[in-house]
Amino acid sequence: YGVMSNKNEGKEFKSTTQGTNWIFTPEQLQVQRQKTTQQVPEAVVPEGREKPQKLTWEEELKLLKFSCFQLKNLCTKGLGLQDKVKATAISYFKRFFLCKSMMQYNV
């Protein structure tokens, strides 16, 4: 599972949408997370209430990791799902929050 058995498989993978759109270096991930965090609009705050502070991209990454841990526990203990289903759920969760900020959604 996840291991390529020959060189042609690696070439084929690189031409898939997974290989072209969802494989990043650590530096590319950091840049994308910073960009996503910066794009969060200012919160609309009712009069008389204190304006919440935005999270930094590092704080948001910590929140993402914690949320992935919670999702894994829900899939395992709460729903009893198979490993491949858990991995898919976490993968899509991470992909969504690579492009959207956790500050915009109540997770």
Side-chain angles (χ1 to χ4, degrees):
Y1 179 73
V3 177
M4 302 204 191
S5 60
N6 65 46
K7 292 179 183 178
N8 289 336
E9 286 183 27
K11 290 177 185 176
E12 291 173 11
F13 173 77
K14 289 179 181 179
S15 67
T16 66
T17 56
Q18 170 75 17
T20 57
N21 298 324
W22 293 108
I23 303 298
F24 302 96
T25 65
E27 294 80 18
Q28 290 171 320
L29 284 172
Q30 181 178 341
V31 167
Q32 180 61 41
R33 286 190 178 104
Q34 289 171 336
K35 182 176 142 186
T36 300
T37 301
Q38 290 171 352
Q39 292 176 348
V40 175
E42 293 296 323
V44 177
V45 181
E47 194 172 320
R49 291 189 128 183
E50 190 174 318
K51 188 176 186 177
Q53 285 188 314
K54 284 186 175 184
L55 298 175
T56 65
W57 73 269
E58 293 96 339
E59 292 168 332
E60 195 163 359
L61 180 58
K62 287 179 185 178
L63 181 59
L64 176 67
K65 288 179 179 181
F66 175 75
S67 297
C68 286
F69 176 77
Q70 294 293 86
L71 179 58
K72 180 182 172 187
N73 282 340
L74 172 66
C75 289
T76 303
K77 296 175 183 172
L79 303 174
L81 300 175
Q82 297 175 359
D83 288 344
K84 287 183 181 181
V85 175
K86 288 186 284 190
T88 301
I90 291 170
S91 178
Y92 283 130
F93 188 81
K94 286 180 176 182
R95 286 180 182 183
F96 181 82
F97 285 111
L98 184 59
C99 303
K100 304 290 184 185
S101 173
M102 295 193 79
M103 292 181 275
Q104 296 175 290
Y105 297 88
N106 189 8
V107 180

